[in-house]
Amino acid sequence: MNDDYAISIENVGKTYRSRDGREHPVLKGLDFRVRPGEFVSIVGQSGSGKTTLLKTISGLQEPTEGRILVKGRPISEGVEDIAMVFQAPVLLPWRNNLDNVLLPLEFRGTRNEQSRDYARELLEMVGLGDKAKRYSYELSGGMQQRVAICRALVSRPDLLLMDEPFGALDAMTRDSMNFEIQRIWRTTGCSVLFVTHSISEAVWLGDRVVVVGDKPGRIVADVTIDLPRPRDTTHRFSPEFSGYVTEIEAHIGVTAGIS
Ligand SMILES: Nc1ncnc2c1ncn2[C@@H]1O[C@H](COP(=O)(O)OP(=O)(O)OP(=O)(O)O)[C@@H](O)[C@H]1O
Ligand SMILES: [Mg+2]
């Protein structure tokens, strides 16, 4: 049954049309499902259509073929259960961090005392409880991205879409954000679709890693990561972990024509 899934991507295709009228197929025949509470990583070559896929799932744009169901309902009926985190945090500099987190609820007209408490709770959860009244320019890049994650979580989404959320961070901050996101995911129980260029990040975080091939974007592999949870740094040095990384590298290499 479709409504057993957090999201069903059914034979989805997306074609962009350029100004000269030419068609550019970017996604073709994508078909996969995400179970409630599942963490699915997505990797693939630059330009393979990963951002296009997330934008299409979030309802920012429509698929040209196929359909997307959220808990069995077409996304066209409303996408309130979905939130997205982009590579850049894009916080409003004239609002303090708490007010940035509350922004989506203001747009919906549902901001109230309870939501304020919840926003504070989220900031506590990501270690920024003392920064609620500070402004984004007073925070490091990693801290700003944590505020952006709180902003996505404040509407209690069932599905969190993340498009290279840690791409702009240095390696050490990125490692600690990996732990952070694992903890947030386990605490909130939401399903996550997580796009990354880092194969080891994808394996370490994911229940599955979906590999998107390019021209046009399609799924070339869907690898179940059978590593125990919660995961810590020791898992990164296990032979099983290296095996998954090598397997996924091979899938990406094949699609890029590097055998
Ligand atoms: N609005 C648009 N109009 C036309 N073409 C687009 C549009 N958005 C993306 N594309 C094209 O679609 C293809 C896929 O782009 P997309 O941004 O989804 O790739 P990606 O996998 O996210 O890449 P990256 O890893 O570099 O972020 C690219 O060839 C891009 O030029
Ligand atoms: Mg992208």
Side-chain angles (χ1 to χ4, degrees):
M1 276 287 288
N2 281 325
D3 33 347
D4 292 341
Y5 293 104
I7 188 144
S8 307
I9 318 289
E10 300 186 349
N11 204 21
V12 162
K14 178 73 188 171
T15 297
Y16 289 118
R17 192 185 290 272
S18 49
R19 270 188 241 170
D20 59 10
R22 283 201 317 203
E23 296 199 329
H24 303 275
V26 172
L27 299 176
K28 184 90 189 144
L30 261 80
D31 203 88
F32 69 103
R33 278 137 199 77
V34 177
R35 283 183 284 275
E38 199 172 24
F39 197 116
V40 178
S41 304
I42 299 178
V43 294
Q45 294 284 325
S46 178
S48 56
K50 304 177 299 295
T51 296
T52 302
L53 173 63
L54 289 202
K55 281 187 185 165
T56 310
I57 292 173
S58 70
L60 283 173
Q61 58 187 21
E62 298 223 339
T64 10
E65 290 159 31
R67 61 177 191 164
I68 297 171
L69 303 178
V70 178
K71 289 190 283 183
R73 283 173 30 225
I75 44 166
S76 47
E77 286 181 13
V79 289
E80 295 213 337
D81 298 338
I82 301 181
M84 188 145 168
V85 178
F86 300 91
Q87 180 171 359
V90 209
L91 302 171
L92 301 179
W94 59 88
R95 299 187 130 223
N96 67 35
N97 296 317
L98 183 67
D99 287 337
N100 264 295
V101 172
L102 284 162
L103 198 62
L105 303 183
E106 259 175 61
F107 282 143
R108 289 179 193 179
T110 58
R111 176 176 172 159
N112 56 29
E113 251 340 283
Q114 284 97 315
S115 55
R116 216 179 141 76
D117 291 344
Y118 184 53
R120 281 186 176 279
E121 227 175 88
L122 288 170
L123 285 169
E124 285 291 342
M125 183 170 82
V126 301
L128 295 177
D130 58 336
K131 300 278 194 287
K133 295 287 181 179
R134 299 294 193 91
Y135 289 79
S136 53
Y137 59 82
E138 298 175 279
L139 304 184
S140 71
M143 289 173 177
Q144 290 183 27
Q145 195 56 297
R146 278 185 262 167
V147 174
I149 291 169
C150 293
R151 183 182 54 195
L153 292 171
V154 77
S155 48
R156 300 178 195 268
D158 289 333
L159 179 65
L160 184 60
L161 306 174
M162 305 184 93
D163 191 2
E164 292 186 57
F166 310 139
L169 303 180
D170 64 273
M172 261 163 63
T173 312
R174 190 169 181 147
D175 274 355
S176 67
M177 289 304 289
N178 278 187
F179 278 98
E180 197 81 74
I181 206 67
Q182 178 179 235
R183 201 164 56 78
I184 289 170
W185 166 69
R186 288 173 65 85
T187 312
T188 60
C190 62
S191 319
V192 179
L193 269 179
F194 184 90
V195 170
T196 176
H197 274 130
S198 161
I199 297 173
S200 56
E201 183 174 83
V203 170
W204 193 76
L205 284 169
D207 292 318
R208 283 156 61 199
V209 177
V210 170
V211 182
V212 180
D214 57 357
K215 295 189 180 80
R218 67 214 184 281
I219 294 175
V220 293
D222 187 338
V223 181
T224 299
I225 308 298
D226 194 10
L227 294 173
R229 291 206 185 262
R231 294 179 187 161
D232 57 36
T233 38
T234 58
H235 293 109
R236 290 199 179 144
F237 302 106
S238 70
E240 292 82 8
F241 185 88
S242 310
Y244 285 125
V245 170
T246 309
E247 179 183 349
I248 290 159
E249 275 172 351
H251 286 301
I252 295 179
V254 167
T255 65
I258 313 163
S259 53

